[in-house]
Amino acid sequence: MNSVRSAASELVKVRGTRRLAAANMCKELKTKMLRLLPPTCNGPTTNEEDRTDDEVLKCTVKALQDGHVVAVPTDTIYGLACLAQNSEAVRKIYAVKGRNGQKPLAICVREIQDIYKYCKVEVKKELLDDLLPGPVTLVFQRSEALNSALNPFTSLVGVRIPNHAFMRRLCQMCEEPLALTSANVSAHTSTVEVHEFQELWPHVAVVVDGGPIGDQSRLGSTVVDLSVVDKYRIIRPGCALSSTLDVLERKYGLSEDLGEE
């Protein structure tokens, strides 16, 4: 009986330690709210929160390099990002979002050539050129160059190149991939304006306000698995399903992977 009580006591201690660790990773930060200027805005700013894009980039890169999580606009929805090669930062992004640890994070890179470093690509480069940059996440076998602590439960990884100048420059300045997930509490609605994930602000180092996301569909990117030669599998229909299928099937002759019969 004593051994049962001892085991139960140890279990409570372990669970308490885990909760404390999550709380520490999710602690409130002195969040910087930074606003990207509209493309047509060339004059001086009048709001102290406004910065030039270069200043916003430098501040965001610094936060990422310091191991923090940041909130950023993309071409589909707002996202949470951290350095994919920083294992502690990856743990933080799960804690901030309250995400199930068995759900994978995608990575975001600047150029198609970067995909080949972190993924084992089995399709023609022309196919990548037709889909990226854009609202599509392509899933491949991961390479050994990718942090083994990122999605350690799977040999696959999704990769994005958003059609968004700020995000591509951010990846360029970081010189490594970003881990990327939607900026919302897990299982809640995707966000297209920064005020919609206001409850997460205290737990991220920087919130980059790029204004309302133009699409407004909240569907996120279309996620397609291309890890099997000559096959594709739609993981999430997303906002670009029709155009993606047109490229995969009509132009490159890929067939849908229906799994084992």
Side-chain angles (χ1 to χ4, degrees), residues 106-107 132 134-139 158-160 221-225 236:
I107 63 171
L132 302 172
V136 183
T137 300
L138 302 181
V139 178
V159 60
R160 282 215 66 198
S221 63
T222 295
V223 183
V224 55
D225 185 343
R236 183 177 70 192

Side-chain angles (χ1 to χ4, degrees), residues 107-254:
I107 63 171
C108 176
V109 298
R110 182 179 187 270
E111 300 287 356
I112 286 175
Q113 64 188 31
D114 299 326
I115 297 176
Y116 291 87
K117 180 175 180 180
Y118 301 103
C119 304
K120 299 176 181 178
V121 181
E122 299 287 353
V123 297
K124 294 179 179 179
K125 181 179 180 297
E126 289 80 6
L127 186 152
L128 303 185
D129 291 332
D130 284 341
L131 293 177
L132 302 172
V136 183
T137 300
L138 302 181
V139 178
F140 299 105
Q141 291 286 337
R142 60 194 290 152
S143 78
E144 292 73 18
L146 188 62
N147 180 10
S148 61
L150 180 80
N151 310 337
F153 45 83
T154 177
S155 62
L156 304 178
V157 67
V159 60
R160 282 215 66 198
I161 303 179
N163 188 18
H164 195 282
F166 174 82
M167 286 300 296
R168 295 186 68 188
R169 289 186 65 196
L170 186 62
C171 289
Q172 179 186 32
M173 291 178 67
C174 288
E175 299 183 327
E176 60 180 288
L178 302 180
L180 189 65
T181 185
S182 56
N184 55 282
V185 175
S186 190
H188 288 203
T189 304
S190 298
T191 58
V192 293
E193 297 189 49
V194 293
H195 70 84
E196 295 178 340
F197 58 91
Q198 193 166 351
E199 70 271 32
L200 300 183
W201 291 2
H203 309 299
V204 300
V206 172
V207 174
V208 178
D209 184 355
I213 302 294
D215 180 44
Q216 297 283 310
S217 72
R218 302 180 190 271
L219 294 177
S221 63
T222 295
V223 183
V224 55
D225 185 343
L226 295 176
S227 63
V228 177
V229 177
D230 295 330
K231 300 281 187 179
Y232 75 87
R233 180 170 64 92
I234 299 299
I235 297 175
R236 183 177 70 192
C239 64
L241 180 61
S242 178
S243 59
T244 300
L245 290 178
D246 189 51
V247 169
L248 297 177
E249 294 181 349
R250 183 186 61 79
K251 189 167 183 178
Y252 293 96
L254 273 62

